[in-house]
Structures are given as structure tokens and as C-alpha cells.
Amino acid sequence: MPDLGKYADAVLSAYGVSSLLLLLLVVFTLRKGRAARAALEAVEKRKNPSG
Amino acid sequence: MSLWEYANPVRFLALSSRVLPVFWGLAALCLVSGLIWGFFFTPNADKFESTVKIIYLHVPSAMMAINVWVMMLVASLIWLVRRHHVSALAAKAAAPVGVVMTLIALFTGAIWGQPMWGTWWAWDPRLTSFLILFLFYLGYIALWEAIEDPDTAADLTSVLCLVGSVFAVLSRYAVNFWNQGLHQGASLSLDKEENVADVYYFPLLVCIAGFVFLFLALVLYRTGTEIRLRRTRALQAREVRA
């Protein structure tokens, strides 16, 4: 761990909050994508049950 | 082969499924290696001490906050001129990414500003134009959600995007336009003299590449999601009519 001195809280909170925001963005993006894919498959199956 | 071929949703989805794994991989590689390099293996600066390590988050996110809006502007203009649905959906897909980038830039800026300037916030030209850009992002997303007809929503949000572009430009050049305020000039420039020292410059470049690849991966993926949602709504509407 590098010596962050008296500004350790500032640096660590910048990294912590930024990482959390990026992670949430990726997770919500993937969840919405999976839901959209499933919804489209369901509608297409109803439209063309044999296919 | 023309770029306009990818205005076809099927071709766009085929292309994005091929390139997405590469972009996700490059984003993870550059972000992890750049942030580890910057955080663990660069020295504290004389003036900024350890807060200099915030540069690896603050500068790339601020750059992306502006550039995402520029990408939305280009996509909006393509929609207004050529009426390609994929471009309107790409602009819509990019907006939440821009919100998060602007939020990170504002947050890390406030955290950095407190020990350096003695305040979390100042009504400085660059900070203020960034806050307005953030509000434009929120307004853009709200407008998409508020209008039921997708073509009307794409038209009106495109106009909003054109207006908001003034603040995207101001966010970038505010320091140059008004030579006042607390915020320093650009950390990166084509003029090497203006750049940060090499020891910070190279890990910073890797982090910027990571943010760019993450943005590309997110926008391609989210645009694919918007295309699928649009197709689902169209099929459901056909079912109701039948």
C-alpha cells in the first residue's frame, strides 16, 4: 500500500466511489440487456411457436 | 462497404456481437493496469501530495463526460438528417454513461478540491459548466422517458442535445475563455510543455484508454438493448392489432 499521508481518506474515497459507480453502471447495463433479450425471445416465440 | 450499412439494426447487432468481447477485454485490461500503475507505482507530487493519484479517475472521466455528449451530438445530427433509428438509439444509450462519467468527474473534483482549494465547490467557470452539463444529461434522459412516441422523443432530444452542446464546449474551454477561477488548465495537451510529468502522463494515458474502451463497450451493448426493446414493442403492437 502506498503512503497516502494525511489525504488517504480523500484518495481512497475517490477510488471507492468511482469504482462503485462504474460497477453499478456495468451491472445495470448487463441486467437490462439480458431482460431485453429475454423479452424479445418470448415475443418472437409467441409469434412463431414452431421456430 | 459503407458505414451507413450499420444503420441496419441486424448488421449493427452482428457487428457489435463480434467487437464487444474485444472492447470489454481491452477496457478491463487498461483500467486495471492503468489504475494499479497510477495508484501503487507513481510517487506523490510536491504540490498535490498523494491527491495527485485522483488524476487517474478525474481527468479520464471529465474527458469522457464531454466526449460522450459530442458522440450524442453526432448521433443526433445523423438522426435529424438521415432518420436512421440506430443513431437515435445510440444517442439514447450513451446518455446514462455520460451521467456517470460527469458524476465521477464532479465527485472526484470535489474530493480533490477540498484539500487543495479549501472548498468542496466553487462557482468557477469550469465547475459550473460541468454542473450544467450534468443537468443537461438528466434532462435529456427525462425527455426520452417523458415522450411516448419514440420518433418524437428522438426529434426533441436531438434538439436538446444541440443546445446542450454549448455547455459541452464550455466545459472543455471554460478555463481558456475566462482566465479566472480555481480550476487549473488542461492536464493533457498537444503541447508537451503543458502536460503533466511523464511519471503521471503514461499511466494516465492507459487509464484514458480504459475509459474510452469501457464507453465503447457500454454504448454498443446498450444500443443493442435499445434495438431489441424497440423490436419487442413493435411486435407487441402488432399482436394487439391482430
Side-chain angles (χ1 to χ4, degrees):
Chain A
M1 186 74 175
D3 177 22
L4 300 175
K6 60 183 172 179
Y7 299 126
D9 289 349
V11 177
L12 292 175
S13 57
Y15 274 77
V17 172
S18 302
S19 306
L20 181 68
L21 286 172
L22 289 177
L23 191 69
L24 286 176
L25 177 64
V26 171
V27 168
F28 281 117
T29 295
L30 296 178
R31 275 181 60 179
K32 189 179 175 189
R34 279 197 203 111
R37 207 180 282 257
L40 179 58
E41 277 171 14
V43 176
E44 282 180 336
K45 210 173 206 174
R46 273 205 307 272
K47 188 182 147 210
N48 186 12
S50 58
Chain B
M1 163 120 19
S2 155
L3 184 66
W4 301 117
E5 285 185 29
Y6 297 107
N8 177 319
V10 176
R11 290 219 175 102
F12 178 88
L13 289 174
L15 172 76
S16 68
S17 68
R18 280 201 306 274
V19 299
L20 263 174
V22 178
F23 286 160
W24 284 123
L26 286 171
L29 181 72
C30 292
L31 278 176
V32 170
S33 58
L35 290 174
I36 287 177
W37 185 2
F39 186 84
F40 289 100
F41 302 106
T42 59
N44 293 347
D46 289 342
K47 182 180 163 195
F48 296 109
E49 299 189 34
S50 64
T51 63
V52 74
K53 294 176 192 295
I54 298 174
I55 198 172
Y56 306 111
L57 295 163
H58 182 68
V59 170
S61 59
M63 282 179 74
M64 291 315 296
I66 298 167
N67 291 331
V68 171
W69 194 275
V70 173
M71 174 258 153
M72 287 164 56
L73 171 66
V74 173
S76 298
L77 286 173
I78 292 172
W79 162 255
L80 289 174
V81 175
R82 299 192 65 136
R83 314 302 282 180
H84 290 318
H85 285 101
V86 171
S87 65
L89 296 177
K92 183 185 181 187
V97 185
V99 168
V100 172
M101 294 298 171
T102 315
L103 200 54
I104 291 174
L106 286 169
F107 182 77
T108 54
I111 283 188
W112 204 352
Q114 211 288 327
M116 291 301 111
W117 303 333
T119 179
W120 300 98
W121 179 262
W123 294 103
D124 160 290
R126 178 168 278 189
L127 274 65
T128 307
S129 55
F130 250 88
L131 179 64
I132 296 172
L133 181 64
F134 179 65
L135 297 176
F136 261 97
Y137 271 119
L138 295 184
Y140 179 92
I141 293 170
L143 193 56
W144 262 109
E145 296 302 322
I147 300 169
E148 207 167 315
D149 178 56
D151 285 6
T152 309
D155 285 339
L156 294 179
T157 51
S158 295
V159 173
L160 181 67
C161 193
L162 292 178
V163 177
S165 300
V166 174
F167 289 94
V169 173
L170 279 182
S171 306
R172 172 67 184 81
Y173 295 106
V175 175
N176 309 54
F177 290 159
W178 298 280
N179 195 18
Q180 59 179 24
L182 294 171
H183 203 285
Q184 67 185 61
S187 302
L188 295 175
S189 165
L190 292 175
D191 181 358
K192 208 170 182 311
E193 293 295 307
E194 289 182 21
N195 279 333
V196 292
D198 282 356
V199 69
Y200 308 113
Y201 180 72
F202 293 110
L204 180 56
L205 284 187
V206 178
C207 290
I208 289 171
F211 272 78
V212 170
F213 284 123
L214 181 64
F215 163 70
L216 290 172
L218 285 167
V219 167
L220 282 178
Y221 189 91
R222 295 178 67 89
T223 306
T225 299
E226 293 297 335
I227 289 171
R228 289 187 183 95
L229 288 173
R230 186 173 179 274
R231 169 92 179 134
T232 304
R233 280 193 294 269
L235 290 175
Q236 283 170 337
R238 226 179 278 173
E239 275 180 348
V240 171
R241 279 199 302 271

